[in-house]
Amino acid sequence: MPALWTHSDKLLLASTSATRLGLLVSAGLSVETQNSGIDERAVEGAAAHEGLDPVSLAGRLAAEKALAVSRRHPDRVVLGADQVLECDGEVFHKPADRAAARAQLMRLAGREHSLHSAGALAIGGQAVERFSDTAHLTLRPLTDQAVDLYLDLAGPDVFKSVGVYQLEGFGIHLFETVEGDHSTILGLPLLPLLAALRRLGCLAL
């Protein structure tokens, strides 16, 4: 069988995200994973001090993840990725518990928000490619009862999502409109990533 991935070592994903790993494997890439270990809140704090906008914040987080792992494995091609949810200029975070998840959904209900997904590729401790994409999503107006029923059906796994939803599951019932690439919504802009890997000579196709 012909090989798609041409680099001598597998792509090293600076994350243990099962969703991002699944996207890469489905695209036929040879992948290994490693936790970046960065303090994301510290990176966000520094970015806020610098006045970075949400798109730039997503890019900073992705690059810091890639660089942290690349310094440990300088001969590997390392991918870092991150996503920032923005609504009316406010950046949202993953909810800590059901009460926070409920409050977050009520704040997003009936409003459009943006998912800014970014990626960075690093080699030898240097970022060699950066890319990003944005999706726009609008939740329908939701009653208290609807949100409670949704959280009962979806379960605590949705607390791992910054938007408190998974479009491939019960989360689809929350939406009026979804505009954007599916992989971007899942947290990894796949088409820009593949283009970047081709520029680096890592793909045969």
Side-chain angles (χ1 to χ4, degrees), residues 87-107:
C87 185
D88 293 337
E90 180 183 358
V91 171
F92 285 65
H93 300 286
K94 295 176 183 177
D97 52 30
R98 182 185 173 107
R102 189 181 190 282
Q104 191 149 310
L105 285 171
M106 293 305 296
R107 290 169 68 191

Side-chain angles (χ1 to χ4, degrees), residues 3-7 27-30 193-205:
L4 173 65
W5 182 255
T6 61
H7 197 270
L29 303 186
S30 300
L193 166 63
L194 296 177
L197 289 172
R198 290 188 197 100
R199 288 193 291 271
L200 294 176
C202 295
L203 297 179
L205 179 59

Side-chain angles (χ1 to χ4, degrees), residues 47 51-58 91:
L52 295 188
D53 59 42
V55 176
S56 299
L57 171 59
V91 171

Side-chain angles (χ1 to χ4, degrees), residues 30-139:
S30 300
V31 190
E32 293 178 347
T33 65
Q34 185 173 117
N35 195 322
S36 69
I38 71 165
D39 184 343
E40 294 187 33
R41 298 292 85 84
V43 174
E44 290 177 354
H49 182 72
E50 295 174 34
L52 295 188
D53 59 42
V55 176
S56 299
L57 171 59
R60 172 73 61 82
L61 287 164
E64 290 295 334
K65 290 179 179 180
L67 291 170
V69 174
S70 182
R71 294 184 191 106
R72 300 196 292 263
H73 303 277
D75 297 329
R76 303 287 294 273
V77 179
V78 180
L79 168 64
D82 212 296
Q83 184 182 70
V84 170
L85 188 155
E86 173 198 5
C87 185
D88 293 337
E90 180 183 358
V91 171
F92 285 65
H93 300 286
K94 295 176 183 177
D97 52 30
R98 182 185 173 107
R102 189 181 190 282
Q104 191 149 310
L105 285 171
M106 293 305 296
R107 290 169 68 191
L108 293 174
R111 303 165 72 188
E112 179 184 292
H113 65 269
S114 300
L115 290 176
H116 306 293
S117 292
L121 292 169
I123 301 174
Q126 299 291 326
V128 295
E129 291 279 355
R130 299 171 186 258
F131 47 90
S132 64
D133 190 36
T134 296
H136 303 283
L137 305 90
T138 303
L139 266 68

Side-chain angles (χ1 to χ4, degrees), residues 9-26:
D9 294 309
K10 294 181 178 181
L11 176 66
L12 188 51
L13 173 63
S15 168
T16 55
S17 165
T19 299
R20 292 190 177 103
L21 176 60
L23 284 170
L24 295 168
V25 171
S26 294

Side-chain angles (χ1 to χ4, degrees), residues 108-194:
L108 293 174
R111 303 165 72 188
E112 179 184 292
H113 65 269
S114 300
L115 290 176
H116 306 293
S117 292
L121 292 169
I123 301 174
Q126 299 291 326
V128 295
E129 291 279 355
R130 299 171 186 258
F131 47 90
S132 64
D133 190 36
T134 296
H136 303 283
L137 305 90
T138 303
L139 266 68
R140 62 189 182 86
L142 299 167
T143 63
D144 291 344
Q145 293 79 8
V147 170
D148 285 333
L149 175 59
Y150 164 71
L151 290 173
D152 288 340
L153 291 169
D157 276 353
V158 293
F159 301 168
K160 300 174 185 176
S161 166
V162 66
V164 202
Y165 55 75
Q166 295 164 335
L167 289 185
E168 62 273 29
F170 287 106
I172 194 66
H173 293 277
L174 302 176
F175 288 90
E176 280 188 351
T177 62
V178 175
E179 300 175 9
D181 186 85
H182 185 62
S183 65
T184 294
I185 294 169
L186 294 183
L188 178 62
L190 201 52
L191 293 177
L193 166 63
L194 296 177

